[in-house]
Amino acid sequence: MAQIGIDLGGTKIEGVLLDAAGAVLARRRVPTPAGYEAIVAAVADLVGLLQVEATRPATVGVGIPGTVDAHSGRVKNANTTSLIGQPLRADLVARLGQDVRIANDANCFAVAEARAGAAQGHKLVFGIILGTGVGGGLVVDGVARTGPHGIAGEWGHSPLDDRDPEAPAAPPCYCGQRGCVETRLSGPAFERDYERLAGTARGAAEILSRVETGDRAARRALDRYLAFYGEGVARLLHILDPDAIVLGGGMSNNPYLPTLGRAAVEAVLFNARLDTPILRHALGDSAGVFGAAWLWSERVE
Ligand code: BGC
């Protein structure tokens, strides 16, 4: 049976249509609108568009920031905060007239990359999303571990120390804490830090492109970002020591991560050498669409 997978991100919604053999028939991307009703409508429209391209009815799986609470059936832990507390699955089912499976976006991403992407062949894979939000998925032998609260791998919501003595108070996080990994390593976090240092707002890609051109604030924001990255990833390694880490989300395209980022991890690691492969996504920075599509075919979690 054909399968549709949706990755619901903070800035864009991506969808893929797979044929029964798993080959990509279509891949589409639309901007994420503001407000819950508009998001439900945008997801349903994207599914509708992909259904038209499928010759037969297709199953629908959706990866979301946060997860659906097993007790209430409502979304929790989503950085797209308009989703929190909403009966998203029920609303999509009503709108589409067919059943829908939902899982955490980072889990979908990690499963996709572990089974068919950059981390293929590794037993314990940790998939990291560095996007509008920061999340993670823990995959063992191709299957995501979700845990009793559905929060396994939620790497983005523990605070990180800021070792810079001149740094301002840790930024607040939507989750209620301050200085979470997400407030340091998301795209908006990087842009905010640059704006604080430069007094001018710029997009993450532009900031990164200015690092080599003598923009001191860009260099400083990058150095701070890499220090947080090093500390955050090292903490992960100390707990899990996975066989591979794979990076997705817009900030995973930061060209300094494989070199300076890796060195920043090694500098604080509880080991003399860092052997863990830290891989860039192979199925696109929205690889989660595949894990979402597969929610109907095999055991994904
Ligand atoms: C959410 C995670 C999600 C991540 C990336 C975080 O804020 O809590 O569930 O995986 O953002 O979207």
Side-chain angles (χ1 to χ4, degrees), residues 65-66 77 79 104-106 129 133-135 154 157 174 182:
N77 301 346
N79 56 63
N104 175 256
D105 55 0
I129 292 192
V134 172
E154 284 292 10
H157 296 283
Y174 79 86
E182 177 164 310

Side-chain angles (χ1 to χ4, degrees), residues 58-90:
T59 56
V60 179
V62 184
I64 63 163
T67 192
V68 173
D69 183 82
H71 300 289
S72 66
R74 290 170 186 267
V75 176
K76 65 179 179 185
N77 301 346
N79 56 63
T80 303
T81 50
S82 61
L83 297 175
I84 295 176
Q86 300 288 356
L88 178 63
R89 201 183 79 83

